[in-house]
Amino acid sequence: MDYVKDISPSGKLPYPNLILLYSASNQHAFFKEPIGARASASLKRASEEDAVEKLVMDQYKTFGSLSHVYLKDAPPNGTHKFVFFRENRGAINHGLGRSDEDDFECAKFNPLRHPRENDFNNPNITMPSSLVAGLDQVMLKMANYPWMPGTVMSAPLLPRCEPSTGWTVPEGDGHFHLPMAPQPEIFSVVIGTPELFQKILLELGHRWGDLSNLSRTCQAAMSAINKSFTRVDLTAGNFLNMNITDEELQKGSYESPASSPFVIMSKVRGHYYGAEDGEGAPNEKGYPACPKGGYERPSAAGHVINTYKMLKSIHLRGHGMRILHLHSVSTLNVSMLKMCLDSLPHLEVLGVYNCELLHFGVTREFLQTIVNHNNQEDKKVVRSDFSPYYYHGPQCLSVGRKGEFGVVASDHGTVETRRAVTAILSTVVPLALDNGIDWFTPGTGMRQFLERIPFALGSLRYILEALYNLWDFEHGVHHQSNDQLWSQGSEAMRRTLYNDLVVAVNGRAMHREQLDNMMSSKGGLHLTRCSSCDVDLPAFFYTNESMSRVAGQKECSGCQLRFQLDNQIDSFHQEKKEAVKILLEHDSTDNIDTFINGKRFVTDKEIKDPTFPFWFLSVKTPQEVLDSCNEQQESLVVDGRPDSTHPVEYRSIWIWKERVLLAMEHASREIDRGMHKAAAIITQCQDQIKDLDIKYERGLFGASRYRENRDMVDKLERYIDQERARCGAGQLEGRYGTRAAMNWDEEVEKHRQMVQAGVGAMANYGPYNTVSSNLRTGFF
């Protein structure tokens, strides 16, 4: 539900527009250049590089202006020099903007999207003391979604119940609140004509935002989309017999499998089970209680089995798939994706969304996989869409929660995520543009993911635009190869483009001296090359520690973010990666066919090992082995297994069975039982902390004993946080509470305070009167 658009027919925000407030005052706190109506008397443009700018604007009209410096007086005798994101960026339109840009950006900071326990959370944030009511109260409860009863959707594009066509809505959970309304005749004809509607889906299938927006126009459209796709339930493991071979089908034991060329494989939530005593009541300010119930989930070992079924379904039925969407596939990684693409000869559209092992750090690797596939002459070009895994914050915890960072699960206090995300995009955007792939215009899955990251207000579109403009510049869009004047203006133009990028990521104007220190050396433009990803970026995208290293060892924030994501422990991430590695990374399996049909010969040692499950893995049955030796059982070993005198084919086992069994054992041991182990460790650590606290309160001999006692408590608390994060029940933080990642809680709070100050809801009454309020001190 788009809260802003659905509650107000006029489309106006229910609270002041902070972007417009910046136009009236405090302009240096925003990043866009104050031109025309936004110009302020307190900011005066300086005359710098006017001659070079005139040359650029006369000769290279598609480029726009250079960066402008604005002066702001700083009494009593100083002046600040600010650089903004350019207003005049040339005539090239990359299609990255929206018609309702300001409303869309401000709506991200609606308090109801990220409520706080000790606030009233009213969407009209000029009224901080009023309780929420009506639709606002309903929206506040949505903070627990989907952990709440009565949800209508059970999976992407999948409502729990068919729309009602009568005058009344059936009783019970999961129904739309209103019956399906009659649609215009021409629209009904379009969505009711399978051939025509499938053409529409082929055009929108690689743009998840556009497809989901089409589904939410009305219940009829959502129903038509859902009926056009074959839905595979990864939670229940229901593959609609797509994983059954033709030989088994001919025996008549199974029904014919689904045959739609459009397939969605996703988890499907069952019905919500709540606590016996019901959900908790909201607090006195309307903040919803933490949910008590949940949904049935398959075990980690069950996910391994479903992964095998998914691969087999693609192997058997992949030749008929034209659109394939993979949603929340918990075991999908880039290696598995490569195997799937090789088994999909007629695939035209691939969408991969919110899969746990495909975090933002693998975005370039994912894109390179698509590019490599499309560059093969014998392969069909696949239009792709990708949304990395999004990390939600804790469900309805207190005001002290560490936040929702989106791109990382926990903030270790080491990576500033805005800079890191942009550094990764600086390698992804050029690769996408080089290969004609659109991942960043509004309506794509990647753009939707980036919109959910807490960038500064209104900055995302301009960060992407700055990266697009840098690509244009490097590919000679603005000049001819024999241009004699290019050398005079090229460095100033390049510096301007990097100024735009840095200022947009920073989210507010920057001092001229800061930008010069980041990008200047010996009077010229200086960029730092990352030793890991080979991208040239200003020092703004490196930590001070990294910049202090010698050349060849400097690592940008994006590579540091990749390292953190690859090595995170949250929600058993490493254990899940290892399970997939055990399943697929075998010397004799480089595609799905060799994985499904591959065999290997067991060694004599394995044959004689009674713990080795030979008969479970064997290609031959016990009777076939017995028949092969003419019932001379003396040639058989442990429980009738063939010995070395038998032909090798009688000692062969299925590779897929062995790998699935090993992966299941690992997942069950490390993840399913790991939850119980972590709970026991947490309880043990809490008991130790209680004992240490008792000793501390009773008194210890010597200052060193006190220090050792408190140090041990700190270590145990850190260990508890680590185990909770491993189970997905908490978050880690940096040493001594250090923070670096941007999170929605702080951004919404900051946005609310700035709007209240801008419209006069918060007033500054001057310094505190210490004389009248603290007479005992006599302080003046």
Side-chain angles (χ1 to χ4, degrees):
M1 177 179 181
D2 189 338
Y3 181 75
V4 172
K5 298 300 180 184
D6 290 341
I7 67 169
S8 176
S10 64
K12 299 295 182 181
L13 291 168
Y15 45 86
N17 184 329
L18 183 57
I19 295 177
L20 295 180
L21 293 179
Y22 277 125
S23 300
S25 61
N26 204 28
Q27 292 173 332
H28 63 280
F30 199 46
F31 68 94
K32 295 181 69 175
E33 184 176 5
I35 294 295
R38 295 202 308 270
S40 171
S42 63
L43 289 172
K44 298 179 181 179
R45 180 181 160 188
S47 298
E48 296 189 12
E49 297 185 327
D50 284 352
V52 179
E53 181 176 63
K54 186 176 186 305
L55 169 67
V56 170
M57 296 190 68
D58 288 345
Q59 295 295 323
Y60 314 108
K61 299 184 185 300
T62 56
F63 180 83
S65 68
L66 299 181
S67 295
H68 296 150
V69 178
Y70 285 80
L71 307 178
K72 181 178 175 63
D73 293 336
N77 52 7
T79 302
H80 291 306
K81 293 183 177 181
F82 289 106
V83 176
F84 293 82
F85 189 91
R86 294 178 301 154
E87 177 73 14
N88 181 1
R89 299 181 298 281
I92 300 176
N93 182 2
H94 299 292
L96 297 170
R98 288 183 171 87
S99 58
D100 58 346
E101 192 80 38
D102 288 1
D103 287 356
F104 184 88
E105 288 294 327
C106 289
K108 297 179 187 178
F109 296 84
N110 189 326
L112 297 185
R113 297 180 186 271
H114 301 276
R116 306 279 280 179
E117 185 180 46
N118 68 338
D119 290 332
F120 292 94
N121 297 305
N122 194 292
N124 186 350
I125 52 184
T126 61
M127 301 168 60
S129 61
S130 60
L131 288 170
V132 294
L135 184 59
D136 296 337
Q137 178 67 52
V138 175
M139 288 300 298
L140 195 59
K141 293 179 181 178
M142 295 290 285
N144 282 337
Y145 186 86
W147 308 100
M148 56 190 301
T151 56
V152 173
M153 304 298 293
S154 60
L157 303 179
L158 179 63
R160 293 189 182 278
C161 305
E162 281 291 318
S164 173
T165 57
W167 292 100
T168 60
V169 177
E171 296 181 359
D173 291 340
H175 291 279
F176 289 99
H177 292 288
L178 296 173
M180 185 167 60
Q183 301 300 316
E185 182 178 358
I186 184 63
F187 183 73
S188 299
V189 170
V190 169
I191 64 176
T193 307
E195 296 79 8
L196 182 58
F197 195 59
Q198 288 178 5
K199 290 286 185 182
I200 295 175
L201 294 180
L202 277 172
E203 292 300 318
L204 296 182
H206 67 296
R207 300 180 63 86
W208 175 248
D210 291 340
L211 185 61
S212 57
N213 282 337
L214 174 63
S215 74
R216 65 185 294 270
T217 55
C218 63
Q219 296 180 47
M222 179 178 289
S223 179
I225 293 175
N226 188 38
K227 291 177 180 177
S228 298
F229 279 91
T230 294
R231 173 77 57 168
V232 170
D233 183 355
L234 295 177
T235 301
N238 182 7
F239 285 80
L240 305 176
N241 293 339
M242 294 173 64
N243 60 318
I244 306 301
T245 63
D246 292 337
E247 291 78 7
E248 293 175 298
L249 291 172
Q250 289 173 0
K251 294 178 182 178
S253 302
Y254 301 92
E255 296 181 0
S256 297
S259 58
S260 171
F262 305 151
V263 179
I264 294 181
M265 296 186 180
S266 72
K267 294 179 181 177
V268 177
R269 290 188 298 271
H271 286 284
Y272 178 83
Y273 63 87
E276 293 182 359
D277 56 346
E279 297 295 320
N283 67 8
E284 66 277 6
K285 296 181 180 179
Y287 184 81
C290 194
K292 295 181 180 180
Y295 297 94
E296 292 290 344
R297 292 182 174 182
S299 63
H303 280 305
V304 173
I305 296 175
N306 289 340
T307 301
Y308 162 70
K309 290 181 179 180
M310 180 186 75
L311 293 175
K312 189 174 182 182
S313 299
I314 291 175
H315 175 63
L316 295 175
R317 313 298 167 195
H319 60 277
M321 297 181 187
R322 299 178 65 190
I323 297 179
L324 176 62
H325 280 193
L326 301 172
H327 290 264
S328 302
V329 183
S330 57
T331 55
L332 182 67
N333 62 9
V334 175
S335 298
M336 191 184 299
L337 179 71
K338 294 177 183 177
M339 296 172 64
C340 292
L341 283 172
D342 291 337
S343 296
L344 297 165
H346 302 297
L347 190 69
E348 297 180 40
V349 172
L350 174 67
V352 179
Y353 308 104
N354 208 42
C355 296
E356 193 169 350
L357 299 184
L358 295 176
H359 50 68
F360 186 72
V362 302
T363 301
R364 179 181 171 81
E365 187 181 358
F366 181 100
L367 180 59
Q368 189 65 61
T369 299
I370 300 297
V371 170
N372 293 343
H373 177 272
N374 290 344
N375 287 340
Q376 298 180 47
E377 294 183 358
D378 59 334
K379 301 292 185 182
K380 196 167 188 175
V381 174
V382 173
R383 290 172 291 146
S384 64
D385 195 22
F386 176 51
S387 180
Y389 188 72
Y390 183 85
Y391 295 94
H392 291 274
Q395 289 293 123
C396 282
L397 298 186
S398 68
V399 65
R401 74 179 189 176
K402 300 175 182 66
E404 181 174 323
F405 313 105
V407 73
V408 293
S410 297
D411 179 13
H412 297 274
T414 56
V415 178
E416 207 279 17
T417 48
R418 287 178 183 169
R419 304 183 188 190
V421 169
T422 306
I424 292 177
L425 288 176
S426 67
T427 65
V428 175
V429 169
L431 180 60
L433 294 178
D434 287 342
N435 292 276
I437 296 175
D438 176 16
W439 270 12
F440 303 101
T441 55
T444 61
M446 177 60 73
R447 180 62 178 266
Q448 276 201 331
F449 171 82
L450 294 174
E451 300 284 6
R452 301 172 72 186
I453 304 300
F455 284 101
L457 176 67
S459 63
L460 175 61
R461 172 237 175 130
Y462 299 101
I463 292 171
L464 293 173
E465 191 169 314
L467 292 171
Y468 271 58
N469 287 335
L470 279 167
W471 185 85
D472 288 344
F473 179 84
E474 299 296 343
H475 286 75
V477 171
H478 305 294
H479 72 288
Q480 302 294 328
S481 58
N482 58 352
D483 192 340
Q484 300 298 320
L485 298 176
W486 181 247
S487 59
Q488 301 179 34
S490 60
E491 181 168 328
M493 294 165 70
R494 200 159 181 248
R495 179 188 293 272
T496 292
L497 295 176
Y498 280 106
N499 284 346
D500 282 350
L501 180 63
V502 172
V503 171
V505 175
N506 189 54
R508 58 186 299 161
M510 296 189 69
H511 288 274
R512 170 68 179 273
E513 294 78 8
Q514 284 182 289
L515 289 172
D516 287 344
N517 291 337
M518 292 175 190
M519 292 186 280
S520 296
S521 178
K522 298 180 181 180
L525 176 66
H526 174 73
L527 302 175
T528 303
R529 169 153 292 193
C530 175
S531 60
S532 297
C533 63
D534 292 329
V535 66
D536 295 321
L537 289 170
F540 181 77
F541 296 98
Y542 295 80
T543 61
N544 291 334
E545 179 187 0
S546 183
M547 288 299 294
S548 65
R549 301 172 186 166
V550 299
Q553 296 182 3
K554 298 178 180 181
E555 192 175 52
C556 70
S557 296
C559 292
Q560 292 177 339
L561 174 60
R562 271 194 291 267
F563 179 83
Q564 178 177 327
L565 289 170
D566 285 339
N567 294 278
Q568 63 182 312
I569 65 170
D570 302 77
S571 301
F572 294 104
H573 185 81
Q574 298 304 318
E575 290 79 359
K576 292 173 183 177
K577 285 173 59 177
E578 183 63 23
V580 179
K581 183 177 180 181
I582 292 172
L583 181 66
L584 295 181
E585 295 189 12
H586 189 268
D587 294 339
S588 58
T589 56
D590 55 358
N591 55 53
I592 297 181
D593 181 63
T594 55
F595 173 72
I596 299 293
N597 299 315
K599 307 170 187 176
R600 79 171 181 87
F601 307 125
V602 296
T603 63
D604 290 339
K605 182 179 180 180
E606 290 172 326
I607 281 285
K608 296 175 182 179
D609 183 1
T611 63
F612 182 75
F614 175 79
W615 289 122
F616 178 77
L617 309 175
S618 175
V619 175
K620 300 292 185 179
T621 65
Q623 186 61 47
E624 289 175 325
V625 172
L626 184 61
D627 293 341
S628 68
C629 59
N630 297 319
E631 299 187 357
Q632 297 178 6
Q633 298 188 13
E634 61 273 8
S635 64
L636 303 178
V637 295
V638 185
D639 61 17
R641 302 178 187 183
D643 63 7
S644 57
T645 63
H646 284 74
V648 290
E649 61 265 21
Y650 287 91
R651 294 189 295 147
S652 61
I653 60 174
W654 293 111
I655 288 178
W656 72 264
K657 280 190 176 183
E658 182 182 30
R659 308 316 298 175
V660 168
L661 181 62
L662 292 173
M664 286 178 60
E665 290 176 347
H666 170 84
S668 179
R669 180 180 63 252
E670 302 296 334
I671 302 176
D672 294 333
R673 293 199 292 270
M675 299 281 288
H676 302 290
K677 293 179 184 178
I681 291 172
I682 291 172
T683 301
Q684 182 181 0
C685 290
Q686 289 173 339
D687 291 341
Q688 293 180 30
I689 290 174
K690 288 180 183 178
D691 293 340
L692 290 168
D693 287 341
I694 291 172
K695 292 178 181 179
Y696 181 85
E697 292 170 0
R698 289 177 177 174
L700 297 168
F701 183 76
S704 62
R705 296 290 181 87
Y706 279 101
R707 186 167 56 252
E708 290 174 3
N709 182 286
R710 294 298 92 185
D711 288 345
M712 181 57 68
V713 169
D714 287 341
K715 289 180 181 179
L716 290 171
E717 289 178 343
R718 179 73 176 175
Y719 195 22
I720 289 174
D721 288 342
Q722 174 182 308
E723 291 305 306
R724 284 177 173 162
R726 273 168 49 85
C727 300
Q731 293 175 313
L732 286 169
E733 63 178 13
R735 273 292 191 189
Y736 311 112
T738 305
R739 296 185 180 184
M742 297 296 104
N743 77 79
W744 274 115
D745 299 291
E746 292 181 3
E747 293 302 309
V748 170
E749 188 70 17
K750 186 195 309 180
H751 179 273
R752 183 187 311 201
Q753 292 172 357
M754 295 182 74
V755 172
Q756 289 172 342
V759 299
M762 295 171 58
N764 185 349
Y765 294 103
Y768 190 62
N769 189 340
T770 58
V771 177
S772 61
S773 62
N774 198 7
L775 293 177
R776 290 183 61 187
T777 64
F779 178 75
F780 290 88

PDB file of all heavy atoms in Angstrom, residues 116-121 129-132 137 140 281-289:
ATOM      1  N   ARG A 116       8.465   4.730  16.327  1.00  0.00           N
ATOM      2  CA  ARG A 116       9.307   4.668  17.513  1.00  0.00           C
ATOM      3  C   ARG A 116       8.423   4.488  18.743  1.00  0.00           C
ATOM      4  O   ARG A 116       7.332   5.055  18.834  1.00  0.00           O
ATOM      5  CB  ARG A 116      10.122   5.950  17.656  1.00  0.00           C
ATOM      6  CG  ARG A 116      10.935   6.308  16.424  1.00  0.00           C
ATOM      7  CD  ARG A 116      12.215   5.538  16.356  1.00  0.00           C
ATOM      8  NE  ARG A 116      13.216   6.134  17.229  1.00  0.00           N
ATOM      9  CZ  ARG A 116      14.427   5.662  17.389  1.00  0.00           C
ATOM     10  NH1 ARG A 116      14.777   4.554  16.738  1.00  0.00           N
ATOM     11  NH2 ARG A 116      15.299   6.228  18.191  1.00  0.00           N
ATOM     12  N   GLU A 117       8.916   3.731  19.688  1.00  0.00           N
ATOM     13  CA  GLU A 117       8.087   3.369  20.834  1.00  0.00           C
ATOM     14  C   GLU A 117       7.716   4.569  21.703  1.00  0.00           C
ATOM     15  O   GLU A 117       6.618   4.662  22.218  1.00  0.00           O
ATOM     16  CB  GLU A 117       8.818   2.329  21.685  1.00  0.00           C
ATOM     17  CG  GLU A 117       7.978   1.797  22.835  1.00  0.00           C
ATOM     18  CD  GLU A 117       8.724   0.771  23.655  1.00  0.00           C
ATOM     19  OE1 GLU A 117       9.895   1.012  23.991  1.00  0.00           O
ATOM     20  OE2 GLU A 117       8.135  -0.278  23.953  1.00  0.00           O
ATOM     21  N   ASN A 118       8.616   5.517  21.869  1.00  0.00           N
ATOM     22  CA  ASN A 118       8.355   6.622  22.778  1.00  0.00           C
ATOM     23  C   ASN A 118       7.798   7.856  22.076  1.00  0.00           C
ATOM     24  O   ASN A 118       7.718   8.931  22.659  1.00  0.00           O
ATOM     25  CB  ASN A 118       9.633   7.008  23.524  1.00  0.00           C
ATOM     26  CG  ASN A 118      10.670   7.624  22.587  1.00  0.00           C
ATOM     27  OD1 ASN A 118      10.623   7.410  21.379  1.00  0.00           O
ATOM     28  ND2 ASN A 118      11.606   8.378  23.127  1.00  0.00           N
ATOM     29  N   ASP A 119       7.414   7.715  20.798  1.00  0.00           N
ATOM     30  CA  ASP A 119       6.844   8.829  20.036  1.00  0.00           C
ATOM     31  C   ASP A 119       5.381   8.562  19.741  1.00  0.00           C
ATOM     32  O   ASP A 119       4.909   7.430  19.812  1.00  0.00           O
ATOM     33  CB  ASP A 119       7.602   9.015  18.706  1.00  0.00           C
ATOM     34  CG  ASP A 119       9.001   9.547  18.919  1.00  0.00           C
ATOM     35  OD1 ASP A 119       9.201  10.242  19.928  1.00  0.00           O
ATOM     36  OD2 ASP A 119       9.884   9.269  18.096  1.00  0.00           O
ATOM     37  N   PHE A 120       4.685   9.633  19.373  1.00  0.00           N
ATOM     38  CA  PHE A 120       3.276   9.494  19.012  1.00  0.00           C
ATOM     39  C   PHE A 120       3.110   9.096  17.552  1.00  0.00           C
ATOM     40  O   PHE A 120       2.029   8.706  17.133  1.00  0.00           O
ATOM     41  CB  PHE A 120       2.539  10.807  19.308  1.00  0.00           C
ATOM     42  CG  PHE A 120       2.432  11.099  20.775  1.00  0.00           C
ATOM     43  CD1 PHE A 120       3.369  11.901  21.404  1.00  0.00           C
ATOM     44  CD2 PHE A 120       1.413  10.554  21.534  1.00  0.00           C
ATOM     45  CE1 PHE A 120       3.277  12.173  22.763  1.00  0.00           C
ATOM     46  CE2 PHE A 120       1.320  10.817  22.890  1.00  0.00           C
ATOM     47  CZ  PHE A 120       2.254  11.634  23.516  1.00  0.00           C
ATOM     48  N   ASN A 121       4.167   9.232  16.759  1.00  0.00           N
ATOM     49  CA  ASN A 121       4.195   8.695  15.388  1.00  0.00           C
ATOM     50  C   ASN A 121       3.098   9.238  14.485  1.00  0.00           C
ATOM     51  O   ASN A 121       2.672   8.574  13.553  1.00  0.00           O
ATOM     52  CB  ASN A 121       4.104   7.156  15.419  1.00  0.00           C
ATOM     53  CG  ASN A 121       5.296   6.532  16.117  1.00  0.00           C
ATOM     54  OD1 ASN A 121       6.436   6.779  15.769  1.00  0.00           O
ATOM     55  ND2 ASN A 121       5.022   5.737  17.135  1.00  0.00           N
ATOM     56  N   SER A 129       2.558  15.764  19.663  1.00  0.00           N
ATOM     57  CA  SER A 129       1.947  15.253  20.887  1.00  0.00           C
ATOM     58  C   SER A 129       0.598  14.582  20.663  1.00  0.00           C
ATOM     59  O   SER A 129      -0.045  14.170  21.615  1.00  0.00           O
ATOM     60  CB  SER A 129       1.752  16.402  21.883  1.00  0.00           C
ATOM     61  OG  SER A 129       0.892  17.393  21.345  1.00  0.00           O
ATOM     62  N   SER A 130       0.154  14.497  19.417  1.00  0.00           N
ATOM     63  CA  SER A 130      -1.173  13.941  19.168  1.00  0.00           C
ATOM     64  C   SER A 130      -1.088  12.442  18.919  1.00  0.00           C
ATOM     65  O   SER A 130      -0.149  11.947  18.307  1.00  0.00           O
ATOM     66  CB  SER A 130      -1.824  14.632  17.962  1.00  0.00           C
ATOM     67  OG  SER A 130      -1.039  14.442  16.819  1.00  0.00           O
ATOM     68  N   LEU A 131      -2.096  11.708  19.407  1.00  0.00           N
ATOM     69  CA  LEU A 131      -2.165  10.264  19.198  1.00  0.00           C
ATOM     70  C   LEU A 131      -2.609   9.962  17.774  1.00  0.00           C
ATOM     71  O   LEU A 131      -3.334  10.742  17.157  1.00  0.00           O
ATOM     72  CB  LEU A 131      -3.137   9.637  20.187  1.00  0.00           C
ATOM     73  CG  LEU A 131      -2.673   9.573  21.641  1.00  0.00           C
ATOM     74  CD1 LEU A 131      -3.832   9.166  22.534  1.00  0.00           C
ATOM     75  CD2 LEU A 131      -1.528   8.596  21.803  1.00  0.00           C
ATOM     76  N   VAL A 132      -2.186   8.804  17.275  1.00  0.00           N
ATOM     77  CA  VAL A 132      -2.639   8.393  15.955  1.00  0.00           C
ATOM     78  C   VAL A 132      -4.030   7.793  16.075  1.00  0.00           C
ATOM     79  O   VAL A 132      -4.427   7.271  17.118  1.00  0.00           O
ATOM     80  CB  VAL A 132      -1.681   7.361  15.344  1.00  0.00           C
ATOM     81  CG1 VAL A 132      -0.338   7.964  15.056  1.00  0.00           C
ATOM     82  CG2 VAL A 132      -1.522   6.152  16.257  1.00  0.00           C
ATOM     83  N   GLN A 137      -3.735   4.673  12.641  1.00  0.00           N
ATOM     84  CA  GLN A 137      -3.595   3.599  13.618  1.00  0.00           C
ATOM     85  C   GLN A 137      -3.448   2.244  12.928  1.00  0.00           C
ATOM     86  O   GLN A 137      -2.647   1.400  13.326  1.00  0.00           O
ATOM     87  CB  GLN A 137      -4.809   3.579  14.550  1.00  0.00           C
ATOM     88  CG  GLN A 137      -4.797   2.473  15.595  1.00  0.00           C
ATOM     89  CD  GLN A 137      -3.680   2.665  16.607  1.00  0.00           C
ATOM     90  OE1 GLN A 137      -3.551   3.726  17.187  1.00  0.00           O
ATOM     91  NE2 GLN A 137      -2.875   1.643  16.801  1.00  0.00           N
ATOM     92  N   LEU A 140      -0.028   2.025  11.592  1.00  0.00           N
ATOM     93  CA  LEU A 140       0.953   1.807  12.644  1.00  0.00           C
ATOM     94  C   LEU A 140       1.066   0.324  12.983  1.00  0.00           C
ATOM     95  O   LEU A 140       2.156  -0.193  13.246  1.00  0.00           O
ATOM     96  CB  LEU A 140       0.557   2.608  13.890  1.00  0.00           C
ATOM     97  CG  LEU A 140       1.629   2.777  14.964  1.00  0.00           C
ATOM     98  CD1 LEU A 140       2.844   3.473  14.391  1.00  0.00           C
ATOM     99  CD2 LEU A 140       1.087   3.561  16.142  1.00  0.00           C
ATOM    100  N   ALA A 281      -1.194  -5.857  23.564  1.00  0.00           N
ATOM    101  CA  ALA A 281      -1.887  -4.589  23.327  1.00  0.00           C
ATOM    102  C   ALA A 281      -0.874  -3.485  23.018  1.00  0.00           C
ATOM    103  O   ALA A 281       0.248  -3.499  23.550  1.00  0.00           O
ATOM    104  CB  ALA A 281      -2.723  -4.209  24.548  1.00  0.00           C
ATOM    105  N   PRO A 282      -1.231  -2.515  22.173  1.00  0.00           N
ATOM    106  CA  PRO A 282      -0.340  -1.370  21.930  1.00  0.00           C
ATOM    107  C   PRO A 282      -0.094  -0.588  23.215  1.00  0.00           C
ATOM    108  O   PRO A 282      -0.886  -0.651  24.160  1.00  0.00           O
ATOM    109  CB  PRO A 282      -1.116  -0.542  20.902  1.00  0.00           C
ATOM    110  CG  PRO A 282      -2.111  -1.479  20.310  1.00  0.00           C
ATOM    111  CD  PRO A 282      -2.455  -2.454  21.378  1.00  0.00           C
ATOM    112  N   ASN A 283       0.992   0.148  23.266  1.00  0.00           N
ATOM    113  CA  ASN A 283       1.252   0.957  24.453  1.00  0.00           C
ATOM    114  C   ASN A 283       0.383   2.202  24.450  1.00  0.00           C
ATOM    115  O   ASN A 283      -0.450   2.411  23.555  1.00  0.00           O
ATOM    116  CB  ASN A 283       2.738   1.308  24.564  1.00  0.00           C
ATOM    117  CG  ASN A 283       3.201   2.248  23.443  1.00  0.00           C
ATOM    118  OD1 ASN A 283       2.411   2.760  22.652  1.00  0.00           O
ATOM    119  ND2 ASN A 283       4.491   2.474  23.381  1.00  0.00           N
ATOM    120  N   GLU A 284       0.574   3.066  25.440  1.00  0.00           N
ATOM    121  CA  GLU A 284      -0.319   4.227  25.598  1.00  0.00           C
ATOM    122  C   GLU A 284      -0.210   5.209  24.445  1.00  0.00           C
ATOM    123  O   GLU A 284      -1.095   6.045  24.247  1.00  0.00           O
ATOM    124  CB  GLU A 284      -0.003   4.951  26.911  1.00  0.00           C
ATOM    125  CG  GLU A 284       1.363   5.608  26.988  1.00  0.00           C
ATOM    126  CD  GLU A 284       2.464   4.623  27.385  1.00  0.00           C
ATOM    127  OE1 GLU A 284       2.159   3.413  27.482  1.00  0.00           O
ATOM    128  OE2 GLU A 284       3.614   5.057  27.572  1.00  0.00           O
ATOM    129  N   LYS A 285       0.843   5.103  23.624  1.00  0.00           N
ATOM    130  CA  LYS A 285       1.001   6.006  22.489  1.00  0.00           C
ATOM    131  C   LYS A 285       0.645   5.325  21.166  1.00  0.00           C
ATOM    132  O   LYS A 285       0.900   5.880  20.097  1.00  0.00           O
ATOM    133  CB  LYS A 285       2.434   6.530  22.437  1.00  0.00           C
ATOM    134  CG  LYS A 285       2.784   7.377  23.668  1.00  0.00           C
ATOM    135  CD  LYS A 285       4.195   7.900  23.593  1.00  0.00           C
ATOM    136  CE  LYS A 285       4.524   8.731  24.821  1.00  0.00           C
ATOM    137  NZ  LYS A 285       5.899   9.255  24.808  1.00  0.00           N
ATOM    138  N   GLY A 286       0.060   4.125  21.247  1.00  0.00           N
ATOM    139  CA  GLY A 286      -0.390   3.448  20.045  1.00  0.00           C
ATOM    140  C   GLY A 286       0.634   2.567  19.379  1.00  0.00           C
ATOM    141  O   GLY A 286       0.341   1.921  18.368  1.00  0.00           O
ATOM    142  N   TYR A 287       1.839   2.504  19.928  1.00  0.00           N
ATOM    143  CA  TYR A 287       2.899   1.689  19.321  1.00  0.00           C
ATOM    144  C   TYR A 287       2.559   0.205  19.473  1.00  0.00           C
ATOM    145  O   TYR A 287       2.279  -0.262  20.577  1.00  0.00           O
ATOM    146  CB  TYR A 287       4.217   2.008  20.001  1.00  0.00           C
ATOM    147  CG  TYR A 287       5.426   1.324  19.417  1.00  0.00           C
ATOM    148  CD1 TYR A 287       6.044   1.818  18.276  1.00  0.00           C
ATOM    149  CD2 TYR A 287       5.965   0.201  20.012  1.00  0.00           C
ATOM    150  CE1 TYR A 287       7.162   1.208  17.745  1.00  0.00           C
ATOM    151  CE2 TYR A 287       7.090  -0.429  19.493  1.00  0.00           C
ATOM    152  CZ  TYR A 287       7.675   0.088  18.357  1.00  0.00           C
ATOM    153  OH  TYR A 287       8.789  -0.520  17.831  1.00  0.00           O
ATOM    154  N   PRO A 288       2.560  -0.561  18.377  1.00  0.00           N
ATOM    155  CA  PRO A 288       2.132  -1.965  18.451  1.00  0.00           C
ATOM    156  C   PRO A 288       3.105  -2.827  19.246  1.00  0.00           C
ATOM    157  O   PRO A 288       4.313  -2.587  19.252  1.00  0.00           O
ATOM    158  CB  PRO A 288       2.082  -2.396  16.987  1.00  0.00           C
ATOM    159  CG  PRO A 288       3.027  -1.474  16.290  1.00  0.00           C
ATOM    160  CD  PRO A 288       2.941  -0.163  17.014  1.00  0.00           C
ATOM    161  N   ALA A 289       2.547  -3.829  19.911  1.00  0.00           N
ATOM    162  CA  ALA A 289       3.374  -4.756  20.671  1.00  0.00           C
ATOM    163  C   ALA A 289       4.129  -5.685  19.731  1.00  0.00           C
ATOM    164  O   ALA A 289       3.730  -5.895  18.586  1.00  0.00           O
ATOM    165  CB  ALA A 289       2.503  -5.567  21.625  1.00  0.00           C
TER     166      ALA A 289
END
